[in-house]
Amino acid sequence: MATYENLLLDLQNGILTITINRADKLNALNIDTIKEIKNAMQQVYDDTAIKGAILTGAGPKAFVAGADITEIAELSEVTARSFAERGQEVFAMIERSTKPVIAAVNGFALGGGCELAMACHIRVAAENARFGQPEVNLGLIPGYGGTQRLTQLVGKGKAMELMMTADMIGAQEALQLGLVNHVVPQEQLMGKSVEILEKIMGKAPLAIGLVIECVNAVFNKDENGYQTEANAFARCCTSEDFVEGTSAFIEKRKPEFTGN
């Protein structure tokens, strides 16, 4: 497994834990860290031993407290566009992964950190987690997909309010809004994330990947999501996992899926 400057990677029982390891900077995303997340996600895509991933931050205070402001301050119009597009590319890579990715939000998830969490398929938050898109305080807007994903998750009105006021919200409000799936005490955060992934990993891998593809199609204006679903359903019916799953149901036994 590759070595990283700003990430810690740990693979156990098919689950790759990716920890952003810049605790002294509250795990702020700089350009190098974005590149490393891209490389780590490529491992998730390529390594058949990896069945799912958890993204989290080092230390008790922050998941990711934002982007590196010293880098942002130097951007021009041209470099700012490429800066945003690079981040969007990496976060789309997380969103489109056919293997489940869970954000274990262990503290502040602000700006790029909130955007990173929203790119994951499921979000589990510690009770001390706080979320926000405070970019307008810097004369900016979210650039890594925040205007799009926050609106998808919490609705237009609340997304407008959060992004225009720069207000932070706590974990319980995030749960009520649908921004996160679960809130747990911090000491239970990783255990809950692993529990969810292990449950998903017990299902048919091909079907899981196609669920992700079809749900993402809801938000793709150029795609007919119903047709995507019908195509995916048909593909499932030609798979070995479909034969195994239906046979196991009829025979009243636990299925043994292979992902084929």
Side-chain angles (χ1 to χ4, degrees):
M1 193 169 289
T3 57
Y4 296 88
E5 289 287 326
N6 299 321
L7 303 181
L8 299 174
L9 270 62
D10 180 40
L11 177 59
Q12 292 189 38
N13 301 318
I15 297 173
L16 181 67
T17 300
I18 304 168
T19 304
I20 299 168
N21 189 34
R22 303 184 74 217
D24 59 326
K25 305 289 186 182
L26 294 180
N27 302 320
L29 295 177
N30 59 5
I31 292 171
D32 289 341
T33 304
I34 290 287
K35 291 177 181 175
E36 291 191 1
I37 293 172
K38 180 179 181 179
N39 292 338
M41 282 307 304
Q42 193 62 55
Q43 288 184 233
V44 174
Y45 274 58
D46 295 342
D47 190 343
T48 56
I50 299 172
K51 308 302 181 184
I54 297 172
L55 269 167
T56 194
K61 294 182 179 180
F63 174 70
V64 169
D68 192 317
I69 305 303
T70 59
E71 289 183 345
I72 292 176
E74 302 298 322
L75 294 174
S76 66
E77 181 177 356
V78 173
T79 58
R81 184 175 292 107
S82 61
F83 177 90
E85 289 171 346
R86 279 197 304 269
Q88 288 179 6
E89 176 191 359
V90 175
F91 288 12
M93 193 176 183
I94 296 169
E95 186 173 60
R96 295 171 187 161
S97 168
T98 57
K99 299 174 184 179
V101 182
I102 292 180
V105 183
N106 54 307
F108 289 110
L110 305 176
C114 189
E115 291 172 298
L116 177 61
M118 291 191 294
C120 297
H121 303 126
I122 295 171
R123 284 154 294 284
V124 181
E127 291 172 333
N128 69 314
R130 292 179 67 78
F131 298 83
Q133 299 287 169
E135 287 87 350
V136 293
N137 287 333
L138 301 174
L140 288 170
I141 67 167
Y144 288 166
T147 61
Q148 307 302 296
R149 292 192 180 96
L150 186 61
T151 304
Q152 292 165 8
L153 287 166
V154 307
K156 181 178 178 180
K158 193 62 182 181
M160 287 279 199
E161 179 185 350
L162 289 172
M163 286 184 280
M164 291 195 290
T165 63
D167 285 347
M168 284 192 293
I169 59 172
Q172 287 299 332
E173 184 173 355
L175 180 65
Q176 292 166 4
L177 290 172
L179 181 56
V180 302
N181 299 71
H182 301 275
V183 175
V184 296
Q186 187 159 44
E187 64 271 18
Q188 297 176 20
L189 180 64
M190 295 306 294
K192 182 64 175 179
S193 300
V194 169
E195 175 191 324
I196 294 169
L197 267 188
E198 286 180 339
K199 183 180 289 187
I200 295 170
M201 287 159 52
K203 315 306 179 185
L206 176 64
I208 293 297
L210 290 172
V211 165
I212 293 168
E213 180 182 321
C214 290
V215 172
N216 285 339
V218 174
F219 305 104
N220 185 343
K221 296 180 179 65
D222 299 323
E223 189 171 354
N224 182 331
Y226 290 100
Q227 190 60 58
T228 299
E229 180 184 283
N231 294 342
F233 183 84
R235 185 178 172 194
C236 286
C237 288
T238 66
S239 70
E240 293 176 15
D241 279 351
F242 170 70
V243 174
E244 170 62 14
T246 52
S247 298
F249 180 82
I250 293 168
E251 296 165 9
K252 295 181 172 56
R253 60 177 175 82
K254 185 177 179 180
E256 295 183 8
F257 295 119
T258 62
N260 298 312

